[in-house]
Amino acid sequence: PADIISTVEFNHTGELLATGDKGGRVVIFQREPESKNEPYSQGEYNVYSTFQSHEPEFDYLKSLEIEEKINKIKWLPQQNAAHSLLSTNDKTIKLWKITERDKRPEGYNLKDEEGKLKDLSTVTSLQVPVLKPMDLMVEVTPRRIFANGHTYHVNSISVNSDCETYMSADDLRINLWHLAITDRSFNIVDIKPANMEDLTEVITASEFHPHHCNLFVYSSSKGSLRLCDMRASALCDKHSKLYEEPEDPSNRSFFSEIISSVSDVKFSHSGRYMLTRDYLTVKVWDLNMETKPVETYQVHDYLRSKLCSLYENDCIFDKFECAWNGSDSVIMTGAYNNFFRMFDRNTKRDVTLEASRESSKPRAILKPRRVCVGGKRRKDDISVDSLDFTKKILHTAWHPTENIIAIAATNNLYIFQDKVNSEMH
Amino acid sequence: MECTLDAQSLISISLRKIHSSRTQRGGIKLHKNLLVSYVLRNARQLYLSERYAELYRRQQHYPDGAPLLAMPACPPPAAAAPPDLPALPLPTDTQDREPRSCAGVRGGGELLEVPVCAAAPPELQRVPCRDSSPGFYRVTGSAGPGSGGGAAGLLYAAGCDFGSGGAPHCSSRTTVLDLDTHVVTTVENGYLHQDCCCSQCPCCCQPAPGLASPPPTPGTKRKYYPGQEEEEEEGVEEGGEPGAGGVAGGPPFAPCTKRARFEEYNTEHPQDSSNISNLISIFGSGFTGLVSRQQADSEQPLNGQLCSKQALASLGAWTRAIVAF
């Protein structure tokens, strides 16, 4: 199914929300301005533009098909009337410019309304064309194509705070690009061993620091984070800081390596913390403490005894993302059965919510859900064995300033708003 | 951790995943294959330790009957570094075709290191494969020209080239049996007896007709042709690999035939078991050993040969999958 959503991203103001899907399409939603007439429809997101970002390609040299699935979208900070975003599939990153056209010139001298040339004999006077309003048209054009930078599959892109460069990471390498230059990039991290036989870990995600344009972090399949400083050297193979928590030997299993692999890493808005997601937990790391995370939250620890079946059905390889709210006080991540979880870092309270048709009637309040692990079972609880593992929420996004969240559940996008507490605390 | 799968099933499942990853859209996912290799490694550790424990228990019951003593000299250590195995004080006479039971399963840095050494008393029979009691052994090759006969037949019938020049001392070095390209190198490992062609294979003790051709010198690689037909050459990169020439074409490679026949008789264990042991011999630590030294695109052409086709294809796919990069 080509319309399975594969990435969700708000822009820097939260006015626009972009989604990418497996079919290579990007759909952009725009938030309606608040209207005094209909106070309840304020802030709804409607489709703004849809375009085909990537097409399937074929690498003839390796006899490999390159999927058109959009892995990541990142917005550029807005610098003029146009909006720009980067979208990437496994191999190629593209810069798209989104412009609006709401006026068009009318009254040409030589062309008629349909654009056909007039019979010159009928032209008897000179008129100046005027701009007349028209229905809003959103035009999307590819401005740059950054191709041939990656041998392996691109898993993340991140725009630098300098607004001039961005980085793209694949399994083994990270490249730094200038937004205006497509024919070359700088390789800043390379963890490919001399002998592929010695491969022990791959890069799973990476992100620039929100304020320090020289710092970036990348996560590995072994569960570690590396903070790198581009000022230190051109090739940042040596990390400035390594964040790693020793494994708990009592939890050792066949699948220990799989569940410790970090699937997503996000800097907090403040830049002081990093959030990581592995299969069963989310962790908050303080940049100043490398030995262990400062906070660990269990997302669905009841799955720990089910790892065998989850390995068989491949669910154990699912890559969940994580998100901060605007004030860095709440973190959010997805789970199975269309559940997603939020953890309040201050109150230490957590909640499980469900993204489903029933729960998304307009103005309906989401009811907290509970997964019971045997023992006492309350009404409306879901037992672990009846969880639907095909309904997974891998991609979630939080509005940069308000309590609005976007949840991608397979091919549906849910946007929830917290009207009561629309201001961040 | 509650797990309903045993090590063997996990290995099968993992191999299937690797095999199917080849045909998935978008190419082989390096990350996923790496993670699957860790599960394979973990399952292998458990599988091996279980087998050794079982053999040790059986050995305790048959201390005299077994022509081969396979006593784990030490329990499988969770060693970080491969232990140095002492050289056994065994005669180095190349005419001596008594099998030596000594094997080090090289697990690499993070894996199970199980040095299994046993003295080989002189009264050992020359044809260990006839023995029905389990024995864990490595039959060192007598690569000399006069090596025709039971033991040597066993060697070749096992499809393993133990042509180490008759030097029977232990070595922790593990060489690679590449099922992908069927290049047979010196194998010094712990082939559990039922996984070599022995007890259940009635023809394994016969002298291999293929031995008429000069056996390879120790340490070289031999091209391995199933049955009469020559392996498809397309896609097989010889790539300047030294000694890869080996025995080219010519008479059928008897070990394969014998091995194939063994496989058909191997009803005691699920089809995957022998394949798993072969796999175990291939795997070193982590990714080591999973990478074929020669890239090959040719699939196993013949059905029923060597190992079950599916399992073999899986293996080949596995090694090729990793080498694809």
mmCIF file of all heavy atoms in Angstrom, chain A residues 154-168:
data_model
loop_
_atom_site.group_PDB
_atom_site.id
_atom_site.type_symbol
_atom_site.label_atom_id
_atom_site.label_comp_id
_atom_site.label_asym_id
_atom_site.label_seq_id
_atom_site.Cartn_x
_atom_site.Cartn_y
_atom_site.Cartn_z
ATOM 1 N N VAL A 154 19.889 5.925 3.331
ATOM 2 C CA VAL A 154 19.807 7.149 4.127
ATOM 3 C C VAL A 154 18.727 6.979 5.181
ATOM 4 O O VAL A 154 17.585 6.620 4.871
ATOM 5 C CB VAL A 154 19.484 8.356 3.231
ATOM 6 C CG1 VAL A 154 19.261 9.602 4.073
ATOM 7 C CG2 VAL A 154 20.611 8.584 2.236
ATOM 8 N N ASN A 155 19.073 7.225 6.442
ATOM 9 C CA ASN A 155 18.078 7.094 7.494
ATOM 10 C C ASN A 155 17.673 8.433 8.101
ATOM 11 O O ASN A 155 16.615 8.541 8.720
ATOM 12 C CB ASN A 155 18.564 6.136 8.601
ATOM 13 C CG ASN A 155 19.943 6.532 9.142
ATOM 14 O OD1 ASN A 155 20.176 7.653 9.583
ATOM 15 N ND2 ASN A 155 20.872 5.589 9.085
ATOM 16 N N SER A 156 18.506 9.469 7.964
ATOM 17 C CA SER A 156 18.103 10.757 8.543
ATOM 18 C C SER A 156 18.768 11.919 7.830
ATOM 19 O O SER A 156 19.820 11.785 7.196
ATOM 20 C CB SER A 156 18.412 10.800 10.042
ATOM 21 O OG SER A 156 19.643 10.198 10.322
ATOM 22 N N ILE A 157 18.089 13.061 7.933
ATOM 23 C CA ILE A 157 18.650 14.326 7.463
ATOM 24 C C ILE A 157 18.394 15.354 8.555
ATOM 25 O O ILE A 157 17.447 15.224 9.336
ATOM 26 C CB ILE A 157 18.013 14.807 6.136
ATOM 27 C CG1 ILE A 157 16.491 14.735 6.210
ATOM 28 C CG2 ILE A 157 18.527 14.011 4.964
ATOM 29 C CD1 ILE A 157 15.795 15.282 4.961
ATOM 30 N N SER A 158 19.245 16.351 8.600
ATOM 31 C CA SER A 158 19.076 17.369 9.631
ATOM 32 C C SER A 158 19.643 18.683 9.118
ATOM 33 O O SER A 158 20.771 18.737 8.632
ATOM 34 C CB SER A 158 19.798 16.923 10.920
ATOM 35 O OG SER A 158 19.694 17.915 11.907
ATOM 36 N N VAL A 159 18.837 19.726 9.228
ATOM 37 C CA VAL A 159 19.266 21.043 8.763
ATOM 38 C C VAL A 159 20.028 21.729 9.883
ATOM 39 O O VAL A 159 19.602 21.723 11.039
ATOM 40 C CB VAL A 159 18.046 21.892 8.346
ATOM 41 C CG1 VAL A 159 18.507 23.240 7.804
ATOM 42 C CG2 VAL A 159 17.226 21.156 7.301
ATOM 43 N N ASN A 160 21.133 22.332 9.533
ATOM 44 C CA ASN A 160 21.954 22.994 10.537
ATOM 45 C C ASN A 160 21.339 24.325 10.941
ATOM 46 O O ASN A 160 20.600 24.943 10.162
ATOM 47 C CB ASN A 160 23.359 23.208 9.974
ATOM 48 C CG ASN A 160 24.400 23.341 11.073
ATOM 49 O OD1 ASN A 160 24.063 23.531 12.244
ATOM 50 N ND2 ASN A 160 25.659 23.235 10.702
ATOM 51 N N SER A 161 21.670 24.772 12.132
ATOM 52 C CA SER A 161 21.135 26.052 12.595
ATOM 53 C C SER A 161 21.729 27.224 11.818
ATOM 54 O O SER A 161 21.232 28.343 11.903
ATOM 55 C CB SER A 161 21.406 26.225 14.093
ATOM 56 O OG SER A 161 22.776 25.987 14.370
ATOM 57 N N ASP A 162 22.779 26.954 11.047
ATOM 58 C CA ASP A 162 23.315 28.046 10.228
ATOM 59 C C ASP A 162 22.480 28.293 8.985
ATOM 60 O O ASP A 162 22.733 29.222 8.233
ATOM 61 C CB ASP A 162 24.787 27.761 9.842
ATOM 62 C CG ASP A 162 24.943 26.547 8.941
ATOM 63 O OD1 ASP A 162 23.923 25.986 8.489
ATOM 64 O OD2 ASP A 162 26.084 26.133 8.678
ATOM 65 N N CYS A 163 21.514 27.408 8.753
ATOM 66 C CA CYS A 163 20.595 27.524 7.618
ATOM 67 C C CYS A 163 21.292 27.465 6.268
ATOM 68 O O CYS A 163 20.715 27.825 5.250
ATOM 69 C CB CYS A 163 19.772 28.813 7.676
ATOM 70 S SG CYS A 163 18.832 28.941 9.191
ATOM 71 N N GLU A 164 22.522 27.054 6.274
ATOM 72 C CA GLU A 164 23.230 26.952 4.999
ATOM 73 C C GLU A 164 23.612 25.520 4.670
ATOM 74 O O GLU A 164 23.801 25.171 3.514
ATOM 75 C CB GLU A 164 24.533 27.781 5.063
ATOM 76 C CG GLU A 164 24.300 29.255 5.008
ATOM 77 C CD GLU A 164 25.609 30.007 4.884
ATOM 78 O OE1 GLU A 164 26.681 29.364 4.911
ATOM 79 O OE2 GLU A 164 25.545 31.229 4.745
ATOM 80 N N THR A 165 23.780 24.720 5.712
ATOM 81 C CA THR A 165 24.220 23.353 5.482
ATOM 82 C C THR A 165 23.225 22.386 6.097
ATOM 83 O O THR A 165 22.389 22.756 6.937
ATOM 84 C CB THR A 165 25.614 23.102 6.109
ATOM 85 O OG1 THR A 165 25.538 23.400 7.510
ATOM 86 C CG2 THR A 165 26.669 23.965 5.459
ATOM 87 N N TYR A 166 23.335 21.163 5.658
ATOM 88 C CA TYR A 166 22.552 20.119 6.300
ATOM 89 C C TYR A 166 23.345 18.831 6.210
ATOM 90 O O TYR A 166 24.317 18.744 5.449
ATOM 91 C CB TYR A 166 21.168 19.961 5.639
ATOM 92 C CG TYR A 166 21.167 19.244 4.306
ATOM 93 C CD1 TYR A 166 20.913 17.871 4.234
ATOM 94 C CD2 TYR A 166 21.388 19.938 3.116
ATOM 95 C CE1 TYR A 166 20.908 17.208 3.012
ATOM 96 C CE2 TYR A 166 21.391 19.288 1.900
ATOM 97 C CZ TYR A 166 21.143 17.921 1.850
ATOM 98 O OH TYR A 166 21.136 17.258 0.644
ATOM 99 N N MET A 167 22.968 17.847 7.005
ATOM 100 C CA MET A 167 23.675 16.585 6.910
ATOM 101 C C MET A 167 22.697 15.460 6.586
ATOM 102 O O MET A 167 21.505 15.547 6.873
ATOM 103 C CB MET A 167 24.410 16.272 8.211
ATOM 104 C CG MET A 167 23.527 15.964 9.371
ATOM 105 S SD MET A 167 24.536 15.256 10.668
ATOM 106 C CE MET A 167 23.431 15.409 12.028
ATOM 107 N N SER A 168 23.238 14.433 5.961
ATOM 108 C CA SER A 168 22.462 13.241 5.661
ATOM 109 C C SER A 168 23.273 12.044 6.137
ATOM 110 O O SER A 168 24.483 11.998 5.942
ATOM 111 C CB SER A 168 22.184 13.144 4.152
ATOM 112 O OG SER A 168 23.385 13.176 3.415
#
